[in-house]
Amino acid sequence: MVKVEFVFEDGKLLEAYANSGDSLLEVAGEHNVAMDAPCSGNASCGKCRVRLLRGELDSRKTIHISEEEYRAGWRLACTSRLCGDVSLLIPDISFSYINSMKTADLNSPEEILIFDNARRNLQMSGLEPKNGMDIIALDLAEPSLEDTMPDNERLIRGLRGYFNINRVRLPYNVLRKLPEVLRKNRFKVKCVVWTTSENMYVYDIYGIHEKVVIGGLAVDVGTTTVSALLFDMETGEILAKMSAGNAQIRYGADVINRIIRQQEPNGITKLQDAIIGETLCPMIEEMCLEAGISKEQIYRICIAGNTTMNHLLLGVHAEAIRTEPYIPAFFRTETLLASDIGIPINKNARLIMAPNIGSYVGGDITAGTLVSMLWNRPEFSLFVDLGTNGEIVFGNNEFMMSCACSAGPAFEGGDISCGMRACDGAIEACRIDRNTMAPDYSVIGEPGTRPVGLCGSGIIDVISELFMAGIIDQRGKFVREGARIRRDSYGIGSYVLAFEEEAGSVKDVEITEVDIDNFIRAKGAIYSAICTMLSSLGFETDMIEDVYVAGGIGRGINIRNAINIGMLPDLPLKRFHYVGNTSLTGAYLMLLSSPAEQKTYELAENMTYVELSVVPDYMDEFVGACFMPHTDAGRFPSVKRR
Amino acid sequence: MVKVEFVFEDGKLLEAYANSGDSLLEVAGEHNVAMDAPCSGNASCGKCRVRLLRGELDSRKTIHISEEEYRAGWRLACTSRLCGDVSLLIPDISFSYINSMKTADLNSPEEILIFDNARRNLQMSGLEPKNGMDIIALDLAEPSLEDTMPDNERLIRGLRGYFNINRVRLPYNVLRKLPEVLRKNRFKVKCVVWTTSENMYVYDIYGIHEKVVIGGLAVDVGTTTVSALLFDMETGEILAKMSAGNAQIRYGADVINRIIRQQEPNGITKLQDAIIGETLCPMIEEMCLEAGISKEQIYRICIAGNTTMNHLLLGVHAEAIRTEPYIPAFFRTETLLASDIGIPINKNARLIMAPNIGSYVGGDITAGTLVSMLWNRPEFSLFVDLGTNGEIVFGNNEFMMSCACSAGPAFEGGDISCGMRACDGAIEACRIDRNTMAPDYSVIGEPGTRPVGLCGSGIIDVISELFMAGIIDQRGKFVREGARIRRDSYGIGSYVLAFEEEAGSVKDVEITEVDIDNFIRAKGAIYSAICTMLSSLGFETDMIEDVYVAGGIGRGINIRNAINIGMLPDLPLKRFHYVGNTSLTGAYLMLLSSPAEQKTYELAENMTYVELSVVPDYMDEFVGACFMPHTDAGRFPSVKRR
């Protein structure tokens, strides 16, 4: 037995005992020391860094730890085995994905704008924000020896007085509390009901004076990041909003690895536990606390996620998605309940899933397409969702076409050594002085928050600025030298945004050539997908009237910089619109408005899916796009000028 | 700490530790030593007898233990407190209610007759034995790159080919196993479905070669006894049948005491656990074993019980049933699932409840009325259900009227010192020699089974025979002396059916004046209820064309003897029909035939309920009926003659 002391940056301690020879990453996992290891312990991502404070580890050297860092005690947990008592510093960045929940400031201009816009667009398109959920107050006649109708019939008779309905359904939970609630409140009660054209479903019954909110929960289940919002289904008012890392990250950074892990013994349960028990449950808990409502007052949930995430969430075998002929178990689901999969909200709450349209274009995109309003205009528009998979929809009110490309988690900070989600401490925007090469960045959080890492929008800015300042070349290699440029023992260059002493973490915040390389492949995948799809239709990029850029990569994206590095086509800036996390907004609209929900199913049925891998030109396009801005510089005249 | 050793008749031992001063009945309960105490420990029923083998108990004397018995070590557990280490014999009879499950011999003539008759009557009345449940075999096209329809749509398309249906619903459990079952069986599967006029609900999916049975479970939840049968919903074939004591007995023998106990902290849960966890779960387990099917293959359950039992089963507050104006939470339920209340069968199995029509006429009676076929004949008939509550229905195809009387558990052996359910060891029929006063009885079980106690039909026989032999008088007092007649120290007489050495238990099987007195009140309640209801309509008893006698009181009832003691009206014997446990048979018919289910709801809506307690003559009638056969002997001319 050896003793392992985990020391966190905030000074907290955790002691654990393990056997000599055990893998440090596994020991950490067993003791719930969250540690980000998107590569599943293959030593390929370099995220699971720890620093020796006392004692030794039996560690293999790796490209992710320089000689200098090694001497300073830095190790990767995945390549380290225990060989004696040890004390280890666990840097915040190493678990920023899985451990941190970010509560949004609902009063920020960005937040207000996104949901105001979405609601306004919905109404302008003629889709009413009606969802059939209501609170009905009843003052029932008390029973007597002359009026001995049983409680359930009495309630139903009362409800029928309000609506011209055929059938009223009282589920078990309402029947169970009925006699007590009626008598405690002298037959003055209010009911939470859902009314369809003919029928009424009674979700709950309360005393007339109790505070009742009809909570709706919209969730974007991303491969890397999960975002959710809790709102009032009667008014549409947002009550709480939050994002957190998808705890499935430990089973692999991309959908393919997760499907493979799902096939292992208990894999279905493990993957489902990670997203529900470890990710959604604490988020729901926290949001209810913030909104001041109970979990039972969440009466409906809508999930928007990609096809694989949807399968993993439901605990349905996803193996057939991965292997030819790539068949999902479902595109669209119906009549699921949140309680079917153990989501701890009202027991009868319906679980609505934004529909998938293919193995690699899922509900996140159909929900996003709803929000983009592409389907409501004669002009051709492009909708680009930057997630772990990049998805693209092109079309207008007559046709729509979609495709997907594997961008990897770089846009959410996933493949980047100092990458992190857009939460406190993330550098979200940056300029670099062309001469001094000094950075000027803004950090998410209270004023004075020190940088811990980089989120997606920050990475785009830093790479664009490094490129425009001539610090890196078209391939992303460092070509200038200076105080902030370093080379490790392998000769790999890096740029330091914040030295350890300025940073909010125990190590420098920097970006390396490996990071830049990963990012170039991600942006190349997006750009080449856009071009391939358009050219397959015989379209040029300049025929795109509007480009809607979505994704939870930060509070905004500097489009100019995204064009500079060749991620988005070189069009006039005014054609671009950053629309935020449309998967989440779409899930919100589907709950707020039943016509919008129906419209989403309709969009999904009418959207054509293009499988890029079978388009002959795609690989050539991709190779060309793995340059900044592109091997064919003529495609980016504005960048060339600058 | 003191040590308590429980010794069972079969020689098994259980050791427990408790504190000096603890109640023996409570200690037994805490250690799952089942002990029957219908009076809830008030020392009024005398059922919780134990015998000291070693050590002492601090026991109050009681009328239930004679001086002689006291010297022999007999004590009541409820009046005993621990005062040192002790070893106790627990007689079988003391837990014959709660502990024993009786599996019926499905090949016995009585069993075959009951269900054959019920099915034949149903068909003759024009109600088809159709329930919409089916097994559909499908040979689906395997997906390919040209045919990429997702699994759920593929299955639904296949099912639509069989029926002209509007909508197919796949619940979560089917979706969850869908991709695996399809691929393991090369898309050759069979589905268990329920089809209504327009819609189809898919309960389950199996490989084409798996054995599948559509199990239906009919349950009679009686206050004292629970009976159940498992059958094949496609063919109607009975697969297993069983009865057991309702474990709620420990919370009181009658519905009123149980309602009171339900109001205590955790009362709802305790009462629900007793009927579901302790009674139904082991029965279901055992029946599935016998039938060779899994619990998941039970796709529907129908419960017939009285109004209070139905509330306690669902865990719904029943307090308002007990207090003016006596309002149940429901008469009829809809769309409940067995899983709502934790009944461990298929997760989506519907739970159907035979409808109640009043606080004291419940689903057991509406189900029984269905079976009686009263509603299908122009002649006036009487339906009498002998349970803990006696319920009576009178009418024909034009009107029906019902009432209830509190008979107590005597018909099921409950208020009788040697009473027991109709299971192995129960004396079920008896003759007594007029001269020698020697009994000649038959015992339920394998030939040679020795008597342990008396079930309802046996009690009727013994009392009638004692009366007709002049051993007891019209008030039930012993008026002859002999070897089998005993008097205890209080002068209370008893008749010994089997002395300890002949009996299958550790004590004599006997019937006492207290027992007879209890039984006379039970039979008086039934007879006076019949007369009161008929006279309120201006009917005489001889206008009754047919009398259907139901109840789980044994394998049959000697009608002649029941008339002799004044329990049933003095009509020609050929007008009487013993129809067995109609509550159970009715639940069976409701599952077998959807039209029969609908008919039961219709019967319940059209049946009038008479509250006997508000009829002025009822108390006089009851007092007159508490004689054998009656204070007005002219009402029983045939008995007078004999």
Side-chain angles (χ1 to χ4, degrees), chain A residues 38-51:
Chain A
C39 71
S40 312
N42 291 328
S44 63
C45 75
K47 293 240 142 191
C48 58
R49 282 163 167 254
V50 299
R51 190 176 198 165

Side-chain angles (χ1 to χ4, degrees), chain B residues 73-380:
Chain B
W74 288 102
R75 303 287 185 273
L76 290 189
C78 69
T79 64
S80 299
R81 294 191 171 275
L82 299 172
C83 56
D85 291 356
V86 70
S87 177
L88 299 163
L89 179 72
I90 310 297
D92 282 354
I93 186 85
S94 75
F95 58 92
S96 61
Y97 274 95
I98 30 182
N99 221 23
S100 71
M101 294 202 291
K102 166 77 179 163
T103 304
D105 172 11
L106 297 177
N107 297 316
S108 78
E110 299 91 349
E111 291 292 336
I112 291 172
L113 195 67
I114 282 177
F115 294 100
D116 275 1
N117 272 346
R119 277 193 300 260
R120 203 182 51 241
N121 287 338
L122 191 75
Q123 290 227 275
M124 279 168 53
S125 75
L127 301 178
E128 290 284 317
K130 284 186 181 161
N131 50 52
M133 298 292 294
D134 268 303
I135 297 171
I136 298 180
L138 292 173
D139 184 353
L140 300 169
E142 292 192 45
S144 65
L145 282 172
E146 287 69 47
D147 172 12
T148 59
M149 187 177 270
D151 296 344
N152 64 345
E153 290 178 30
R154 187 173 303 272
L155 183 74
I156 288 170
R157 185 178 56 173
L159 289 168
R160 273 191 214 275
Y162 276 76
F163 291 88
N164 182 21
I165 39 174
N166 183 11
R167 187 163 165 236
V168 177
R169 275 186 59 190
L170 286 189
Y172 176 63
N173 67 310
V174 177
L175 181 65
R176 180 158 184 162
K177 63 197 280 203
L178 189 59
E180 219 182 350
V181 174
L182 287 178
R183 284 169 185 78
K184 268 195 184 160
N185 297 283
R186 305 208 55 152
F187 290 79
K188 289 171 188 55
V189 293
K190 47 190 179 185
C191 291
V192 175
V193 302
W194 176 41
T195 319
T196 58
S197 53
E198 288 197 310
N199 301 323
M200 179 183 279
Y201 187 91
V202 184
Y203 274 95
D204 223 330
I205 181 168
Y206 294 91
I208 193 79
H209 299 299
E210 288 183 76
K211 182 198 161 197
V212 181
V213 171
I214 304 182
L217 183 65
V219 187
D220 160 43
V221 177
T223 311
T224 309
T225 307
V226 176
S227 303
L229 69 83
L230 179 58
F231 71 103
D232 183 327
M233 288 188 71
E234 284 189 297
T235 63
E237 186 197 350
I238 313 283
L239 305 173
K241 187 171 169 236
M242 182 166 278
S243 71
N246 184 338
Q248 287 179 342
I249 198 96
R250 89 166 76 100
Y251 300 111
D254 58 36
V255 297
I256 299 300
N257 274 307
R258 299 216 193 142
I259 293 175
I260 293 170
R261 296 296 295 269
Q262 195 204 30
Q263 305 313 308
E264 294 175 0
N266 288 320
I268 285 195
T269 312
K270 280 184 188 167
L271 273 289
Q272 215 178 5
D273 280 355
I275 178 61
I276 297 173
E278 287 181 59
T279 312
L280 287 176
C281 288
M283 288 174 82
I284 292 169
E285 199 83 48
E286 189 70 25
M287 291 169 81
C288 283
L289 212 65
E290 202 174 311
I293 69 171
S294 75
K295 289 183 284 187
E296 287 67 37
Q297 291 191 352
I298 304 180
Y299 291 101
R300 197 156 293 187
I301 178 171
C302 179
I303 302 266
N306 65 52
T307 309
T308 300
M309 286 305 111
N310 289 339
H311 281 64
L312 300 183
L313 178 82
L314 295 188
V316 174
H317 273 280
E319 176 65 12
I321 294 178
R322 188 175 77 87
T323 48
E324 209 182 285
Y326 316 110
I327 309 295
F330 59 90
F331 283 164
R332 182 175 162 184
T333 61
E334 47 166 351
T335 339
L336 296 177
L337 296 179
S339 57
D340 280 337
I341 55 170
I343 294 179
I345 58 176
N346 187 284
K347 204 187 157 293
N348 297 309
R350 287 180 68 210
L351 166 62
I352 294 169
M353 314 272 294
N356 308 311
I357 69 159
S359 286
Y360 294 102
V361 175
D364 46 354
I365 302 310
T366 51
T369 304
L370 174 74
V371 176
S372 76
M373 296 286 150
L374 244 69
W375 48 273
N376 201 33
R377 275 190 300 262
E379 298 85 10
F380 294 112

